[in-house]
């Protein structure tokens, strides 16, 4: 698979809409549509990095793909991968709840 197919697969996996990716990256929806549905339109390095960072994957993964996504999917230590996967499955309300709880716990920690 190529860049467009890998980005589309990742958007589907994470249940993210193109307009949300546009908001996260600052890349217009029109430009993202060209990357994903245009005829062989490839992003420049800067936009490829923005897309990868917004999706929490490496540029290498989006460019080359990997049949075993677990090895290259997230740029996080392995102990966090399960937490990230679970968080991404939550709806917006539950994500906000988790964010609020984490913020509360972090603010109560003693240095």
């Amino acid at each position: 698979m190529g860049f467009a197919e890998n980005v589309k697969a990742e958007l589907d996996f994470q249940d993210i809409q193109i307009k949300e990716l546009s908001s996260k990256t600052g890349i217009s929806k029109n430009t993202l549509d060209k990357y994903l549905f245009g005829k062989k339109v490839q992003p420049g390095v800067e936009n490829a990095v923005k897309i990868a960072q917004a999706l929490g994957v490496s540029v290498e993964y989006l460019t080359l793909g990997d049949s075993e996504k677990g090895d290259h999917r997230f740029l996080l230590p392995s102990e966090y991968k399960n937490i990230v996967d679970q968080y991404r499955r939550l709806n917006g309300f539950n994500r906000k709840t988790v964010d609020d709880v984490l913020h509360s716990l972090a603010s109560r920690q003693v240095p």
Side-chain angles (χ1 to χ4, degrees), residues 25 36 48 53 56 63 66 68 84 86 89 91 95 103 107:
T25 61
L36 300 178
Q53 288 175 338
T63 304
D66 187 356
E68 297 182 31
V84 172
Q86 291 178 34
R89 290 187 194 115
N91 64 28
R95 283 185 183 184
H103 178 75
S107 67

Side-chain angles (χ1 to χ4, degrees), residues 41-53:
V41 176
Q42 296 290 315
V45 173
E46 185 177 329
N47 280 353
V49 169
K50 287 179 182 180
I51 292 167
Q53 288 175 338

